[in-house]
Amino acid sequence: MFTYKGEYSFRFNYLAVPVNLLYSAQPGGQGLQVFAGPYVGWLLGGEFTSSQTGRYASGGGPTTSNQGDVEAGDTYNNRPGEAYVSRGMDVGVQGGLGLGFAGGIQVQASYSQGLRNLGANDKPGLTTRTPPTYRNHAFQLSLAYLFGLKS
C-alpha cells in the first residue's frame, strides 16, 4: 500500500475590471453605499510552491518539492521545473459596502466570487488524472479619490 500527501500554495496576480451598480441615499455618492455587479479578470502571472510526500506501508518513501511561476493557458505539462498553468480569463460577481465622503473620497469593502473553473487540462496522453477544479474568491478593501466630482 502507498499513500500520498500533497500541499500546494498559489499566489495569482489578476487584472480585474468590475462593472458595479452603486446605490447611495445621498447625492454625489456620499454616505453609505451598496454595490454589486459582474467582473472579468485576466491572469497576469503568479507563483506556486508544492510539497509531495509518499509513504509505503512498510515505512519510508519519496518527498519532493517544487516552486515556480504561474502562467495563463488551457493545458498543463505537469513537469517539474515548468510553470504551473491556470486558465487565463476569469468571470464572476462582486458585491460590497462603502462610505462616500464630501470631496470625492470613498472607502469600500467588497467580496468577489469567480464563476469559472480555472483548472487547466493536462496535455493529451500525459496522465489519466482528473484536472483540478478551483475558482477565485477575494476580499478587497479600497480607498479612492474621485476627480472632478461636483457637489
Side-chain angles (χ1 to χ4, degrees), residues 117-144:
N117 174 21
L118 299 174
N121 292 321
D122 284 335
K123 284 198 173 178
L126 189 62
T127 66
T128 57
R129 73 178 178 97
T130 303
T133 300
Y134 56 94
R135 290 172 175 72
N136 282 329
H137 58 95
F139 288 100
Q140 297 144 199
L141 294 174
S142 62
L143 174 64

Side-chain angles (χ1 to χ4, degrees), residues 36-61:
Y39 77 86
V40 62
W42 294 272
L43 179 64
L44 301 177
E47 300 173 343
F48 78 94
T49 59
S50 66
S51 174
Q52 299 85 28
T53 304
R55 296 277 180 241
Y56 295 102
S58 59

